[in-house]
Amino acid sequence: MSKESKDVKVRKTIKRWQEIFIWIVAIAFVAGIALWALAVNYAPGAKKVKRTIEETVGYLTISGEPSKDQSYWVFPEEVEQKYGDLLAAYGNPQIDPVIEEPYVKTLIAVYFLNNKAMLYYAKVNDIKADKKKLDEEVKKEMDNIKKDQAKSQQIKAQYGSLSNYEKEFRKNKEQELIISAVKEKLGAISEDEIKKYYNENKNDIVQKYTKAEVEYATFNSKDEMENFVKLATEKGVTQAASELSVTLSPYTLQKGTLPEELEKEIFDATSTLVSLPYNNSFFVFNVKSVQKADTYENFVKTDGYTEVRTELINKKFSDNFKKWKDENKVSFELRDPVYKAWYKALSSENKDLLSVYKEFYEQLFDEKGEVRTDIANEQKAAFLVVADRIVESTDTALEKVKEDVKGFERKIVSSIYEATKGSSKEILRRMKEYNPENKQIAFDYYSKLYDEIKPYLSIGGAQYVMNQLFEVYQGFADLADSTSTELNIRADSIYKLYDMNKALDEPKVAKQYLTKLKEIKPDYSLDFEKAEKELDEMIKQQEASQQSTNTTNESTNTGK
């Protein structure tokens, strides 16, 4: 078994940290999606300026020495450009400036440096882009632009001419194709290797990739169930459900979810309708599709085959590329102190955590054991990754320092909190844990979290942030109901609950909180009359909509 590459270790470490980051941004990078857009903002007539290595955020090293070739260096503006592109692509979500921003930028810098290393591999091994494919990609891009007048004008304004843009696009596309060719060469895998992996991991694969897409309904009696099945057999499931007012719920049934005898009925069904009793209830399953992985031939037909094949390719590429880099002494160095700290915190092996902790302590604390004030908050925040890893570690060698680590972590968090005044959600979360009696910190944390999820509520996407929604709702409710909490904090919490219910399209509940707010703080900075009228209008519209639905249903039932 080959040693894991640092890239793999980074991914494993940040899996736990995804829980506190903007989930979309974190998952996008952890999944290794390709970054998009051109890396260069072309300035018409600009000459290529020779730059110094001191201007970089990182560079390749060969045999321990920095590469003198500027094409293997990464500059701050490249990271900033990609960071901006990424945020724009995800609708400019709110980003924690102390935790999420340096975390994501570090991953971008490492992504660039890994690509530089692959381009260096290609140069050494004379791997070039497929010229025919490159020409086709460039032609396709330029043809699409020429068809879009608005986009064409935008590009001319930015690049000076379509010709300038084409040169930049060709250069970037060529690098993309070269990197793909390197991955294909180092990650090449045969069908026999996939089959061998399947046979060695068959039980796990069958468990994971055997599934059925079904619709199901529950009934209170056997007669009701049989009546539905009879009508569904005669008229079809949809018509039967409509006539009998039965709700069919979609569900993906995976192996191991239900008792084995029930799953066998569904996975081995000879009919699309499966009816069976279970736990004093009666179920009907409309089996839409079944995917099995019990033989290699069946497994090849599943989406799991592509997933496993991709995993094996990535692992083989990672192992082979690491081996080549080690043999040829190719690596990279991060110069930026923030990115360097974050990368070390994320990628260091467990056996090295103690020495990394000591190194960070020496960097961040003075001789009196107090946090230094001349270190960037973003660099200090990397200590939290190391602290979390040590506290959660089962390594007995780390037991002796865990209490010290917790104490120093608390000092780091307090230092960042004082410097940033609540701009970091994660720092607020930790401060809330340290100071449960401080209601202002609790309110600031829930407000920060609410600001983060509110855009989802306004577009009906509450289901995507349900855990955060429950936490925020309960948090504000606790503050609102606490008579020992300052009146201003209680009032602000009640306002948040009013605002949240309005966003959730719950005007009646929102009105209850509006009334409560008016009772405890009638001079609150809100136009109560206007707010009440707005809620009354929402209630009126909801009732009208419900009445229309009821009328339609009555007409449908009468016409049967």
Side-chain angles (χ1 to χ4, degrees):
M1 192 76 155
S2 60
K3 287 181 68 178
E4 289 182 321
S5 68
K6 278 206 168 186
D7 182 55
V8 173
K9 292 192 189 78
V10 170
R11 290 165 190 258
K12 285 186 175 180
T13 301
I14 58 184
K15 187 176 181 183
R16 171 255 183 271
W17 273 68
Q18 284 180 24
E19 296 171 8
I20 64 170
F21 295 145
I22 294 286
W23 48 96
I24 294 177
V25 174
I27 290 170
F29 273 105
V30 174
I33 65 168
L35 295 171
W36 50 91
L38 292 173
V40 179
N41 281 322
Y42 183 84
K47 296 179 180 179
K48 189 172 182 180
V49 179
K50 186 170 179 61
R51 303 180 68 175
T52 65
I53 204 164
E54 285 74 22
E55 298 176 67
T56 68
V57 297
Y59 49 80
L60 283 195
T61 61
I62 300 156
S63 297
E65 295 295 324
S67 171
K68 295 180 180 179
D69 188 337
Q70 189 172 314
S71 62
Y72 300 121
W73 299 354
V74 176
F75 294 96
E77 65 270 19
E78 296 179 80
V79 175
E80 293 296 333
Q81 176 72 38
K82 287 300 184 187
Y83 178 71
D85 290 343
L86 179 68
L87 294 192
Y90 284 104
N92 292 308
Q94 291 195 31
I95 292 291
D96 187 317
V98 179
I99 304 288
E100 292 170 343
E101 185 172 330
Y103 163 85
V104 173
K105 286 181 177 179
T106 299
L107 295 182
I108 293 174
V110 171
Y111 172 88
F112 277 142
L113 288 166
N114 280 329
N115 280 355
K116 301 285 186 185
M118 283 187 272
L119 291 171
Y120 180 69
Y121 174 92
K123 179 181 178 181
V124 171
N125 292 276
D126 198 29
I127 296 175
K128 302 185 186 302
D130 183 318
K131 187 175 183 307
K132 182 180 178 182
K133 188 172 183 179
L134 177 60
D135 289 341
E136 288 174 353
E137 291 286 343
V138 173
K139 184 177 185 304
K140 180 181 175 183
E141 173 72 6
M142 298 311 296
D143 285 348
N144 287 336
I145 288 172
K146 289 171 184 176
K147 291 175 186 175
D148 188 332
Q149 189 63 30
K151 189 174 182 180
S152 179
Q153 290 302 318
Q154 181 184 357
I155 286 174
K156 285 178 182 177
Q158 184 176 357
Y159 291 88
S161 68
L162 291 182
S163 175
N164 289 335
Y165 173 80
E166 182 176 349
K167 289 175 185 176
E168 291 299 327
F169 181 84
R170 175 178 286 276
K171 182 181 74 174
N172 284 274
K173 180 58 67 174
E174 182 177 16
Q175 289 186 353
E176 181 185 315
L177 293 176
I178 290 172
I179 288 170
S180 294
V182 170
K183 289 181 177 179
E184 286 175 13
K185 179 179 178 178
L186 293 176
I189 196 164
S190 68
E191 195 68 22
D192 286 341
E193 289 175 276
I194 303 174
K195 192 169 187 178
K196 181 174 181 288
Y197 179 85
Y198 171 84
N199 290 329
E200 290 174 350
N201 300 273
K202 184 174 180 178
N203 289 339
D204 291 340
I205 288 174
V206 170
Q207 182 81 11
K208 184 175 181 179
Y209 296 111
T210 300
K211 62 183 179 181
E213 296 297 336
V214 302
E215 293 177 326
Y216 74 93
T218 58
F219 300 87
N220 295 321
S221 70
K222 185 177 181 182
D223 287 343
E224 286 182 6
M225 177 183 73
E226 290 179 344
N227 185 39
F228 175 77
V229 171
K230 184 173 183 291
L231 190 61
T233 303
E234 294 172 357
K235 297 186 175 183
V237 174
T238 303
Q239 184 62 31
S242 176
E243 291 186 18
L244 299 177
S245 298
V246 170
T247 300
L248 288 164
S249 302
Y251 186 67
T252 300
L253 177 65
Q254 291 195 283
K255 195 171 179 61
T257 306
L258 298 176
E260 188 175 349
E261 63 273 16
L262 299 185
E263 288 185 352
K264 185 174 176 58
E265 292 277 349
I266 296 169
F267 289 127
D268 295 338
T270 55
S271 168
T272 57
L273 280 178
V274 177
S275 57
L276 45 88
Y278 179 58
N279 277 357
N280 299 320
S281 292
F282 297 86
F283 287 82
V284 172
F285 291 90
N286 179 31
V287 183
K288 302 175 84 66
S289 66
V290 173
Q291 173 181 286
K292 292 185 177 182
D294 54 338
T295 66
Y296 184 71
E297 288 70 25
N298 283 336
F299 171 62
V300 170
K301 300 172 187 175
T302 70
D303 51 10
Y305 173 80
T306 301
E307 188 176 314
V308 167
R309 183 175 181 275
T310 300
E311 288 176 0
L312 292 177
I313 287 172
N314 288 341
K315 185 180 185 310
K316 191 168 185 179
F317 162 75
S318 181
D319 290 345
N320 286 337
F321 192 41
K322 181 184 183 304
K323 182 182 177 183
W324 178 84
K325 286 190 293 184
D326 290 346
E327 289 174 349
N328 293 272
K329 298 180 180 179
V330 175
S331 186
F332 63 76
E333 181 72 23
L334 283 162
R335 289 193 70 260
D336 184 284
V338 173
Y339 302 161
K340 189 171 187 174
W342 271 87
Y343 184 63
K344 179 163 284 189
L346 290 165
S347 65
S348 295
E349 295 184 33
N350 288 334
K351 66 181 180 62
D352 297 325
L353 282 178
L354 189 57
S355 62
V356 172
Y357 158 62
K358 290 178 179 177
E359 179 184 335
F360 274 37
Y361 177 83
E362 290 172 1
Q363 291 175 355
L364 303 177
F365 292 85
D366 61 23
E367 63 278 0
K368 295 179 181 179
E370 299 302 322
V371 181
R372 288 172 55 180
T373 58
D374 59 340
I375 303 289
N377 291 311
E378 296 82 359
Q379 185 177 342
K380 295 176 189 175
F383 181 86
L384 304 181
V385 182
V386 178
D388 284 353
R389 292 183 64 188
I390 288 175
V391 170
E392 293 171 5
S393 174
T394 56
D395 186 347
T396 55
L398 295 172
E399 288 297 325
K400 60 185 179 182
V401 300
K402 284 187 178 182
E403 288 307 312
D404 286 343
V405 167
K406 290 178 184 177
F408 291 128
E409 174 199 337
R410 189 164 182 160
K411 284 189 174 184
I412 289 287
V413 170
S414 297
S415 170
I416 297 174
Y417 175 76
E418 289 301 323
T420 60
K421 299 302 179 187
S423 65
S424 167
K425 184 193 72 180
E426 175 58 14
I427 296 300
L428 281 169
R429 184 188 71 79
R430 295 190 187 224
M431 285 293 291
K432 181 175 73 72
E433 288 183 0
Y434 301 154
N435 306 278
E437 74 292 342
N438 192 317
K439 305 304 182 185
Q440 185 62 59
I441 289 177
F443 177 79
D444 290 344
Y445 166 68
Y446 293 125
S447 297
K448 206 77 177 171
L449 187 54
Y450 180 46
D451 289 343
E452 190 175 279
I453 67 173
K454 189 175 179 179
Y456 290 86
L457 307 187
S458 63
I459 57 172
Q463 69 271 23
Y464 299 113
V465 290
M466 197 58 72
N467 291 338
Q468 293 87 348
L469 178 58
F470 282 143
E471 182 183 0
V472 169
Y473 204 103
Q474 188 61 56
F476 282 136
D478 289 344
L479 291 172
D481 294 338
S482 173
T483 54
S484 62
T485 299
E486 290 180 24
L487 180 59
N488 286 342
I489 295 177
R490 287 187 66 201
D492 286 339
S493 298
I494 293 170
Y495 174 80
K496 295 287 188 183
L497 290 165
Y498 146 77
D499 187 63
M500 199 181 310
N501 278 284
K502 193 169 74 167
L504 289 167
D505 204 22
E506 294 286 349
K508 291 181 179 179
V509 181
K511 193 171 182 179
Q512 292 172 9
Y513 282 113
L514 186 65
T515 301
K516 188 174 181 180
L517 178 60
K518 191 174 182 179
E519 287 174 357
I520 73 163
K521 195 167 175 56
D523 60 342
Y524 194 82
S525 58
L526 176 68
D527 188 334
F528 286 100
E529 184 179 349
K530 181 179 179 182
E532 191 170 347
K533 284 182 179 178
E534 184 180 3
L535 293 176
D536 286 339
E537 183 61 30
M538 289 175 69
I539 293 170
K540 183 179 177 182
Q541 289 177 1
Q542 282 188 350
E543 290 174 346
S545 177
Q546 185 61 50
Q547 180 62 39
S548 175
T549 301
N550 292 340
T551 302
T552 302
N553 289 340
E554 287 173 7
S555 299
T556 303
N557 292 333
T558 303
K560 287 182 182 178

